[in-house]
């Protein structure tokens, strides 16, 4: 339901207005509306209240806030520096940092991504992870998550202004990266006790780390490499904590 309606909104916005932003705003409302509708039908008002409580679940470890807000831009800059694609910003670094925080916390997380992830993580991915585990549920969520974003390949130049090889490349990157991103979200969501606030900050941080919003490197792949590195780090930490918990349990049983 959400994919079909969002496609219509995005196609009309790009074709008639020459701007994808109205379609993106409509997509947020569609995702929020369908999430509430499905949750109310399945779990009633109590389920809807529980869904929204996740959006204001802020009592998590400080490390998660650091990871959600600062890890991706830091890793993106490090990847750019390591590959020789980093350059000095046009303005000073303080201005870049201020713009990044505005795009991440206010424009991204609070105004947009928290409502988007209310549907994707709070409804779809949560239910799929409950049925298929963290990895299986995250990978399954990546499929509709990628599909709903397909029209955005035409956002810059419209449906006739962008060559189809470029469209195919954009779609290929999206289909490859979507599973990585949903796994990253799944680990953060479970690791914070189902905090959609942290998930929204992480999503907004990724969006704000792209070259057009973090103009200190040349290229469009560094933020994807950074997200992949962050996923690897979180997977290792998750594995380490699981092994430590097993060791503590074994010691308690032996004692």
């Amino acid at each position: 339901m959400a994919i079909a309606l969002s496609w219509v909104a995005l196609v009309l916005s790009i074709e008639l207005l020459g701007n994808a932003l109205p379609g993106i705003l409509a997509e947020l409302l569609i995702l929020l509306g369908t999430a509430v509708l499905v949750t109310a039908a399945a779990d009633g008002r109590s389920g809807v209240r529980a869904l929204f409580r996740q959006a204001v679940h802020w009592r998590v470890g400080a490390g998660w806030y650091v990871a959600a807000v600062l890890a991706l831009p830091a890793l993106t800059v490090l990847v750019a520096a390591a590959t020789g694609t980093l350059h000095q910003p046009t303005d000073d670094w303080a201005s870049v940092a201020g713009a990044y925080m505005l795009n991440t916390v206010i424009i991204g997380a609070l105004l947009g991504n928290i409502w988007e992830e209310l549907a994707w993580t709070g409804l779809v991915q949560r239910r799929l992870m409950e049925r298929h585990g963290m990895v299986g549920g995250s990978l399954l969520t990546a499929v509709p998550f990628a599909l709903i974003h397909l029209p955005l390949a035409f956002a810059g130049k419209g449906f006739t202004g962008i060559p189809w090889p470029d469209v195919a490349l954009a779609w290929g990157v999206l289909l490859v990266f979507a599973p990585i991103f949903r796994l990253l979200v799944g680990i953060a969501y479970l690791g914070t006790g189902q905090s959609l606030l942290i998930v929204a900050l992480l999503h907004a941080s990724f969006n704000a780390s792209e070259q057009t919003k973090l103009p200190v490197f040349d290229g469009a792949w560094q933020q994807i490499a950074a997200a992949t590195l962050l996923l690897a780090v979180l997977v290792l930490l998750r594995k380490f904590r699981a092994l430590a918990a097993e060791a503590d349990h074994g010691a308690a049983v032996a004692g």
Side-chain angles (χ1 to χ4, degrees):
M1 195 160 44
I3 291 172
L5 292 173
S6 296
W7 277 3
V8 171
L10 286 167
V11 168
L12 291 177
S13 181
I14 294 170
E15 182 66 21
L16 300 180
L17 303 177
N19 188 341
L21 182 58
I24 293 172
L25 295 176
E27 178 187 324
L28 290 175
L29 294 175
I30 291 166
L31 283 169
L32 178 60
T34 51
V36 171
L37 178 64
V38 171
T39 301
D43 303 323
R45 292 183 179 180
S46 62
V48 175
R49 288 194 294 270
L51 180 65
F52 278 91
R53 276 198 298 270
Q54 297 176 56
V56 293
H57 176 32
W58 61 272
R59 292 186 176 180
V60 301
W64 278 110
Y65 282 98
V66 173
V69 176
L70 300 179
L72 285 174
L75 287 172
T76 300
V77 169
L78 287 174
V79 168
T83 56
T85 57
L86 183 69
H87 60 75
Q88 291 294 319
T90 303
D91 298 321
D92 57 88
W93 282 94
S95 298
V96 172
Y100 166 80
M101 292 300 294
L102 177 65
N103 284 322
T104 297
V105 179
I106 306 299
I107 297 174
L110 297 184
L111 296 181
N113 294 117
I114 198 165
W115 312 115
E116 181 181 4
E117 291 299 340
L118 195 80
W120 285 120
T121 305
L123 175 65
V124 179
Q125 190 161 345
R126 175 180 64 82
R127 290 176 179 271
L128 288 174
M129 288 193 297
E130 288 173 354
R131 298 176 186 176
H132 305 285
M134 193 277 291
V135 174
S138 299
L139 295 179
L140 287 171
T141 305
V143 177
F145 179 77
L147 290 176
I148 205 170
H149 289 91
L150 290 180
L152 291 178
F154 302 96
K157 299 180 181 179
F159 293 101
T160 58
I162 181 169
W164 277 103
D166 292 348
V167 174
L169 177 61
W171 284 351
V173 171
L174 175 62
L175 293 173
V176 169
F177 180 67
I180 296 173
F181 183 73
R182 295 321 307 183
L183 284 167
L184 190 61
V185 164
I187 292 175
Y189 181 66
L190 296 180
T192 57
Q194 299 185 337
S195 172
L196 290 178
L197 176 60
I198 293 297
V199 168
L201 286 169
L202 184 63
H203 193 153
S205 175
F206 175 77
N207 291 342
S209 296
E210 66 179 358
Q211 192 272 337
T212 58
K213 296 178 181 177
L214 191 66
V216 296
F217 60 92
D218 298 316
W221 56 270
Q222 289 88 341
Q223 66 177 140
I224 295 176
T228 305
L229 288 173
L230 180 58
L231 174 60
V233 171
L234 291 181
V235 167
L236 290 175
L237 288 174
R238 179 182 171 89
K239 184 66 175 177
F240 176 77
R241 288 174 180 173
L243 292 174
E246 290 179 4
D248 289 342
H249 178 72
V253 171

